[in-house]
Amino acid sequence: MSDREPPGSSGLARPTRILLTLAAAGGACWTVWAGRSLLGPLVLAAALVIIALPARKPLDRRGTPGWVGTLVVVSISWGILLVLAVLVLLALGQFARILADYAGQLQESAETLESFFRSLGFSTVSMDDLTRAIQPSALLTTVFNAGTQLLGLGTAVFFVFAYAMFLGMDAARWQNPPAELAEASGRRLQAFNRFTAASNRYFLVNSIFGLIVAVIDGLALWVLGVPGPFVWAVLAFVTNYIPNIGFVLGVVPPVVLAVAVGGWGLGLLVLAIYCIVNVTLQVLIQPRFVGESVRLSVTLTFASVVLWTTLLGAVGSLLAVPLTLFARFLIIGGDPGARFAQWISGDDGPEDPSPRQLPS
């Protein structure tokens, strides 16, 4: 391979290089945050294309014209976006009706919870903040704000569809790099190969397990008589893409509503069912399918959720792991001298010296 850097050093002291690196990282984060209205739709479209890209592999194998494969990839990307948009909008509509129908019970539950925590010695200020956070109006505002960011309402929708189309066209060219480029930049192409393969597997596994979790949770809530099981099933599916804290975000609203309509016994039963289902599937089983592909440390995964949510909002929280994989590819991908950085980020596997074809 010829990805080696030429011998020599920059002549800068190590502390100076570290400070310059931190300054560059800070500038990059500020740039992403400042341009989040444009970058959010772009990363969402890229994720949709990565998910749809394997669909063109059998077409290319049969010798189908390239434009047919591109059309299939773009159509699948647009279809996924439309289905998700319809599901989320339906869930938001039902949630608004639930808040209107059970506003009184939620208010009583908030007051009961406030009294309970006050008896434990929590301060008045903190409890006032808590009760305001679970008021029906506050919950509705929070959910609609998240839905607006997630769906990219308005002009952002146009950019998502446009980016998905353009990325789908370019993907066909990226899959077949010229021979001289593959020879000169074999390590970089291999690193890009690992990034796309890991991201695709991450999306696939999370979608399958998210659907399983959503169906089980929704059916359990329906059997128990908790209002809006479809809403909470959609929420469970969406939050399955958020590592570490997604379970908490998905369980709190149905538990609060269960307490409001059926008392603490029903609320604790819902919490127990969620814990059993989610811990069994998301903690014990799901990592076995996706862990070897992602290869991110637990600490880095959690930090990535906080970072990308701050920079890109709801889209960043859902795509935190693929975005971190892409950042690792840009920073250390293909660099044989960055083995320590690769290892400390959670990737214990050695680099495969042989170049590979980009995934189709």
Side-chain angles (χ1 to χ4, degrees):
M1 302 298 167
S2 57
D3 281 345
R4 300 175 182 175
E5 297 292 334
S9 63
S10 62
L12 298 176
R14 182 178 181 83
T16 303
R17 295 200 302 269
I18 292 176
L19 290 175
L20 290 175
T21 301
L22 292 176
C29 289
W30 181 88
T31 302
V32 172
W33 177 83
R36 61 190 180 278
S37 60
L38 294 178
L39 290 176
L42 176 60
V43 298
L44 179 58
L48 295 174
V49 171
I50 289 176
I51 295 172
L53 201 56
R56 71 175 302 149
K57 184 175 181 179
L59 299 176
D60 293 340
R61 191 183 300 121
R62 295 189 182 97
T64 306
W67 65 268
V68 176
T70 299
L71 181 61
V72 169
V73 170
V74 173
S75 299
I76 293 177
S77 303
W78 287 1
I80 294 174
L81 181 62
L82 288 174
V83 170
L84 290 178
V86 170
L87 288 177
V88 173
L89 286 176
L90 289 175
L92 289 177
Q94 289 194 16
F95 184 66
R97 288 195 295 271
I98 291 172
L99 289 181
D101 295 339
Y102 297 92
Q105 292 95 319
L106 288 172
Q107 179 67 35
E108 294 177 2
S109 297
E111 294 173 354
T112 302
L113 189 63
E114 179 182 4
S115 301
F116 171 74
F117 279 104
R118 286 186 193 281
S119 67
L120 298 179
F122 286 88
S123 66
T124 302
V125 175
S126 61
M127 289 315 305
D128 288 342
D129 293 337
L130 176 61
T131 53
R132 280 196 298 268
I134 61 177
Q135 292 292 331
S137 59
L139 291 173
L140 185 60
T141 301
T142 301
V143 172
F144 268 99
N145 286 341
T148 299
Q149 294 185 58
L150 176 63
L151 297 175
L153 296 177
T155 58
V157 173
F158 167 78
F159 284 108
V160 173
F161 279 99
Y163 284 141
M165 181 176 63
F166 298 143
L167 288 171
M169 294 177 180
D170 286 333
R173 183 172 60 87
W174 294 338
Q175 288 178 309
N176 299 291
E180 62 274 12
L181 179 62
E183 178 63 26
S185 302
R187 289 186 182 274
R188 295 183 188 276
L189 291 175
Q190 179 186 330
F192 187 73
N193 179 9
R194 287 198 303 274
F195 156 70
T196 54
S199 298
N200 190 278
R201 185 174 180 84
Y202 172 80
F203 288 129
L204 177 63
V205 173
N206 269 40
S207 298
I208 293 174
F209 279 90
L211 183 61
I212 296 174
V213 168
V215 170
I216 295 177
D217 290 344
L219 288 176
L221 295 175
W222 176 71
V223 171
L224 294 175
V226 177
F230 173 77
V231 176
W232 313 126
V234 172
L235 182 64
F237 176 78
V238 173
T239 55
N240 186 65
Y241 291 95
I242 306 177
N244 304 122
I245 62 174
F247 167 71
V248 178
L249 299 177
V251 72
V252 170
V255 169
V256 171
L257 185 60
V259 172
V261 300
W264 286 101
L266 181 60
L268 292 176
L269 180 58
V270 170
L271 178 62
I273 292 174
Y274 264 71
C275 288
I276 293 174
V277 173
N278 286 270
V279 169
T280 301
L281 292 176
Q282 296 178 335
V283 177
L284 300 180
I285 300 178
Q286 182 173 333
R288 297 178 180 271
F289 291 89
V290 75
E292 285 300 315
S293 296
V294 173
R295 291 184 176 181
L296 288 177
S297 66
V298 178
T299 302
L300 182 59
T301 301
F302 178 76
S304 68
V305 175
V306 177
L307 174 64
W308 292 113
T309 302
T310 303
L311 297 181
L312 294 175
V315 173
S317 65
L318 296 175
L319 303 180
V321 170
L323 285 169
T324 303
L325 293 176
F326 184 64
R328 184 169 68 179
F329 159 71
L330 291 179
I331 297 172
I332 64 176
D335 184 1
R339 184 67 188 96
F340 175 78
Q342 180 183 350
W343 170 77
I344 204 172
S345 70
D347 189 355
D348 297 323
E351 297 250 358
D352 186 354
S354 61
R356 299 178 183 175
Q357 191 81 344
L358 294 182
S360 53

